[in-house]
Amino acid sequence: MSQHDTAASEGGLENLLHEGRSFPPSAEFAGQANTGPEIYERAAADREGFWAEQARELLTWSTDFSEVLDFSGAPVARWFADGRLNAAYNAVDRHVEAGLGDRVAIHFEGEPGDTRTLTYADLKDQVSRAANALAELGVRTGDRVAIYLPMIPEAVVAMLACARLGAPHSVVFGGFSAEALHSRIVDADARVVITADGGYRRGKPSALKPAVDEALAKGGPVEHVLVVERTGQEVPWTEGRDVRWADALAAAAPEHEPVPVEAEHPLFILYTSGTTGQPKGILHTTGGYLAQCAFTHKYVFDLKAESDVYWCTADIGWVTGHSYVTYGPLINGATQVIYEGTPDTPDKDRWWEIVEKYKVSILYTAPTAIRTCMKWGAEFPERHDLSSLRVLGSVGEPINPEAWMWYRQTIGAGRTPVVDTWWQTETGAIMISPLPGITAAKPGSAQTPLPGISAEVLDERGQPVPDGGGGYLVLTEPWPAMLRGIWGDPERFHDTYWSRFEGMYFAGDGAKKDDDGDIWLLGRVDDVMNVSGHRLSTTEIESALVSHPVVAEAAVVGAKDDTTGQAVVAFVILRADEQQRVAEIGEDIVAELRAHVAKEIGPIAKPRSILVVAELPKTRSGKIMRRLLRDIAEGREAGDVTTLADSTVMDKISRGMQR
Ligand code: WTA
């Protein structure tokens, strides 16, 4: 990254923008890609016509639609509203009908090393039986079903079984507490919960069913619990309420007629956290959502369904698992890998072993995972043949240029395109991303709205910023997979997303346009700091820290400061494979890193304090919980830690702080 010292006076986003590297696709990749640059022109010339084409080409409709978009009830859009279709039919049956029943849909790898292969024909059988079993338990079209499962094939089967009946699912991440599960069940008014005895994590069985029992003991609408047997561990049992998944499926017929629903019929509710403590039930419907999932999965990853092996490491408990494990890949008839456990069980090369074993060609993961692998060192991927990989994707937070480079070089052998995909639970599918056969990719930038998507960066007053300027990311036109609201709270939907800028969707992310007009995401607006009147992005300082050879991962927060308003406080994890270098720097490590940030960005960005830690507090979806770090940095007890993947991390960090 280039050195400069003007950032302080210009507001401090310059570090990212001096990232000048660019990686155009090879002629070979571009030559075989699913599309060329004309796709942007086609979409720009007739946006609605373009989406109608995609919806008809990528989905099978039981009743064709005549209307594409109706936004007269803005901000709630209706796409393809008079069409009818069924999501499970599109994801499963039609592939079997097309003679692809023997194609592998899912290569499942359990954490203990057990494996299962499900073809599309197997999936059809399982999903049909599960739909019949749910119907037997009283689930009707429109009823909500909660799903609380580990990453096992039944998670996908359960979602599709609900979709087959037109019963919206509400997946609750398997790591969430009984309390969180209870509030989501009550809010969605779910009548059935699908769960498992437990799943394998970090080398041992981890129970799930007791949390369901605890949640249901608080009361609520649930009549039945379907229990998958995964670990075989003892679980409490409530006769009459609890039903064994295996028994119910065995008793059910393998034939089930999918229910064609209106395009705007709710497909799922997925809870996500907002700026308040109360989670929002994000509502997605069927036709538009599936069309954009299929489109983005096909073009962003350049999917060749007949030959690729695709692996998205996300859990189905968050939106990436919905759109890019369950719906996108299966609608497109892809073959995918599902892995149950953690990346370091039994050893830190588990992911790379899986890539080699299944010849994974498309890998989609999160920056936090990439940085963790960087921290562990290149020796782990180097143990395996990763030459099957041809496209790498990133999602979930801004990816630091150094992590991007490491991903491309160390995992992709300097050969694979990397697509940095920006989107949200609310957007349903990828919105801003390079296309791997077209875009000259810039490390750290999501760059370009996809064909058919319109985004802009606005200043405080709602004016588009010029190239080189920074502000707030908005989406200026409705898109097919957009959320249709917050379950049960239309007012909050309007206030959260549609009130900041008239007629536009406010994403809550800061962004910058570079001199080419490409978009760089800078993190949530609430993560933007103001130090002595200078606007600094947490992401930018984190990137500067990670660009130092001994730093694996960094989290930066703005802590209240009497003189400067806010002060930069950084938490860093050092690279395990650079111990020699760390030892050489010794006690001076903090001074060295502060000087490094000053050099990379400017003195204004220099952290007031830097704490070397062994771990960072992360949610189960891998997001760093800066709120907790801010508590520590401001000398408070850390707040609510219940959504942390490992709730002991904060204790360790505060103990380190007192020393
Ligand atoms: C962030 C995950 C930068 C962003 C799909 C957004 C990103 C939030 C990127 C949504 C990216 C996601 N670059 N930031 N490529 N992808 N984000 O709802 O702040 O879990 O608003 O959806 O993650 O998180 P969510």
Side-chain angles (χ1 to χ4, degrees):
M1 210 167 287
S2 68
Q3 187 186 339
H4 58 95
D5 51 21
T6 56
S9 57
E10 290 181 10
L13 299 172
E14 304 305 308
N15 186 21
L16 279 177
L17 296 180
H18 279 71
E19 168 55 59
R21 292 170 287 199
S22 152
F23 297 87
S26 66
E28 191 194 343
F29 192 100
Q32 60 81 62
N34 286 344
T35 182
E38 66 284 352
I39 194 167
Y40 290 101
E41 284 151 38
R42 163 76 190 101
D46 175 12
R47 210 170 47 85
E48 290 183 24
F50 170 80
W51 282 119
E53 244 168 59
Q54 298 305 327
R56 290 201 174 96
E57 194 181 308
L58 299 170
L59 301 176
T60 302
W61 297 78
S62 50
T63 308
D64 189 24
F65 52 89
S66 63
E67 183 179 62
V68 180
L69 170 66
D70 172 7
F71 205 39
S72 60
V76 181
R78 294 167 60 79
W79 282 86
F80 318 122
D82 60 350
R84 285 182 166 261
L85 76 172
N86 181 279
Y89 174 81
N90 272 273
V92 182
D93 303 47
R94 63 174 182 151
H95 303 312
V96 178
E97 287 169 11
L100 303 173
D102 290 340
R103 182 181 288 176
V104 174
I106 298 172
H107 288 293
F108 171 67
E109 171 100 2
E111 198 190 72
D114 58 316
T115 61
R116 272 158 71 190
T117 308
L118 278 90
T119 63
Y120 275 93
D122 297 333
L123 207 51
K124 177 167 181 265
D125 177 90
Q126 295 280 300
V127 172
S128 302
R129 285 175 187 273
N132 281 322
L134 286 171
E136 185 69 21
L137 294 178
V139 176
R140 302 281 171 264
T141 304
D143 289 347
R144 271 80 60 201
V145 174
I147 297 177
Y148 187 65
L149 283 170
M151 270 312 275
I152 54 178
E154 284 80 2
V156 173
V157 171
M159 290 166 81
L160 292 175
C162 291
R164 203 171 179 90
L165 294 167
H169 51 72
S170 170
V171 180
V172 180
F173 182 80
F176 277 140
S177 64
E179 182 61 48
L181 176 62
H182 176 251
S183 65
R184 285 158 174 78
I185 286 173
V186 169
D187 190 78
D189 198 20
R191 58 191 298 179
V192 168
V193 180
I194 306 176
T195 189
D197 47 4
Y200 290 96
R201 273 197 96 64
R202 294 179 211 289
K204 46 180 196 294
S206 157
L208 271 181
K209 172 77 166 39
V212 176
D213 290 312
E214 199 186 321
L216 300 193
K218 298 173 198 285
V222 171
E223 292 156 17
H224 287 290
V225 181
L226 253 181
V227 187
V228 177
E229 193 184 39
R230 166 65 183 143
T231 57
Q233 63 203 119
E234 273 297 304
V235 290
W237 203 260
T238 304
E239 283 306 330
R241 186 197 69 183
D242 298 351
V243 178
R244 275 183 189 73
W245 169 273
D247 297 349
L249 264 65
E255 305 296 335
H256 178 270
E257 199 54 44
V259 179
V261 296
E262 290 175 2
E264 286 300 335
H265 186 77
L267 180 61
F268 65 86
I269 304 165
L270 181 60
Y271 288 84
T272 183
S273 46
T275 42
T276 70
Q278 181 64 27
K280 302 177 277 198
I282 302 299
L283 172 66
H284 282 288
T285 58
T286 309
Y289 171 80
L290 294 178
Q292 196 178 331
C293 282
F295 168 76
T296 50
H297 183 257
K298 176 172 175 182
Y299 291 99
V300 172
F301 301 114
D302 192 50
L303 177 80
K304 313 283 192 255
E306 59 294 346
S307 54
D308 273 316
V309 178
Y310 165 87
W311 182 21
C312 167
T313 64
D315 191 281
I316 50 137
W318 65 310
V319 74
T320 307
H322 283 60
S323 305
Y324 298 104
V325 175
T326 299
Y327 292 108
L330 296 177
I331 296 281
N332 287 338
T335 294
Q336 70 175 318
V337 170
I338 290 182
Y339 170 56
E340 178 184 31
T342 49
D344 53 349
T345 307
D347 201 357
K348 296 188 175 72
D349 66 342
R350 184 65 183 272
W351 276 17
W352 316 119
E353 186 187 301
I354 292 172
V355 168
E356 178 173 14
K357 175 171 172 187
Y358 295 102
K359 300 199 166 40
V360 171
S361 53
I362 303 170
L363 178 66
Y364 191 30
T365 192
T368 182
I370 298 163
R371 290 192 304 263
T372 300
C373 293
M374 269 173 83
K375 174 177 78 183
W376 291 339
E379 61 167 297
F380 297 101
E382 277 164 7
R383 283 183 200 166
H384 297 279
D385 176 6
L386 307 182
S387 60
S388 54
L389 289 169
R390 61 178 206 94
V391 179
L392 301 175
S394 171
V395 59
E397 53 175 321
I399 179 165
N400 328 64
E402 292 316 314
W404 193 104
M405 288 302 299
W406 190 87
Y407 198 23
R408 182 179 162 106
Q409 300 299 344
T410 307
I411 305 304
R415 183 177 43 79
T416 53
V418 173
V419 286
D420 173 13
T421 64
W422 179 89
W423 59 295
Q424 308 175 298
T425 306
E426 292 88 338
T427 70
I430 301 171
M431 301 292 286
I432 305 179
S433 170
L435 288 180
I438 302 173
T439 317
K442 299 175 180 176
S445 174
Q447 293 181 274
T448 321
L450 290 177
I453 300 297
S454 306
E456 187 48 272
V457 181
L458 302 181
D459 66 17
E460 289 287 345
R461 290 165 300 124
Q463 297 303 311
V465 303
D467 288 351
Y472 303 98
L473 181 73
V474 295
L475 302 167
T476 55
E477 297 286 350
W479 62 99
M482 70 196 293
L483 76 166
R484 301 306 198 258
I486 296 177
W487 186 254
D489 201 347
E491 217 161 294
R492 190 172 177 198
F493 175 49
H494 178 269
D495 294 351
T496 310
Y497 306 103
W498 302 93
S499 64
R500 179 75 177 75
F501 299 107
E502 180 67 33
M504 284 179 232
Y505 173 89
F506 171 55
D509 279 19
K512 182 109 181 171
K513 280 192 226 162
D514 69 15
D515 292 339
D516 305 323
D518 282 330
I519 296 174
W520 296 68
L521 275 309
L522 300 170
R524 300 293 304 185
V525 187
D526 26 13
D527 288 339
V528 171
M529 299 169 292
N530 193 319
V531 179
S532 303
H534 298 287
R535 206 153 102 191
L536 296 170
S537 143
T538 50
T539 313
E540 188 205 13
I541 300 177
E542 287 167 7
S543 273
L545 286 164
V546 174
S547 75
H548 189 284
V550 305
V551 176
E553 191 160 10
V556 165
V557 298
K560 277 199 198 65
D561 186 279
D562 288 346
T563 9
T564 58
Q566 279 187 312
V568 180
V569 176
F571 297 79
V572 298
I573 301 179
L574 300 178
R575 287 176 75 140
D577 56 348
E578 290 288 354
Q579 271 161 6
Q580 170 115 18
R581 207 142 161 187
V582 172
E584 279 162 23
I585 304 170
E587 295 282 293
D588 293 331
I589 184 81
V590 169
E592 158 116 6
L593 293 179
R594 294 183 76 228
H596 180 73
V597 173
K599 187 182 88 188
E600 288 288 321
I601 307 174
I604 184 68
K606 227 182 349 185
R608 181 185 70 189
S609 37
I610 297 181
L611 191 72
V612 176
V613 294
E615 273 171 88
L616 289 169
K618 285 177 189 164
T619 63
R620 294 169 181 102
S621 63
K623 281 198 176 35
I624 295 172
M625 290 196 71
R626 292 189 179 75
R627 172 171 64 75
L628 298 177
L629 293 173
R630 207 172 295 124
D631 288 343
I632 300 281
E634 298 183 352
R636 284 188 301 274
E637 272 285 272
D640 183 9
V641 295
T642 52
T643 56
L644 280 182
D646 174 1
S647 55
T648 64
V649 169
M650 288 317 297
D651 284 337
K652 291 181 202 149
I653 295 176
S654 9
R655 262 184 271 122
M657 199 76 178
Q658 282 148 17
R659 262 192 261 122

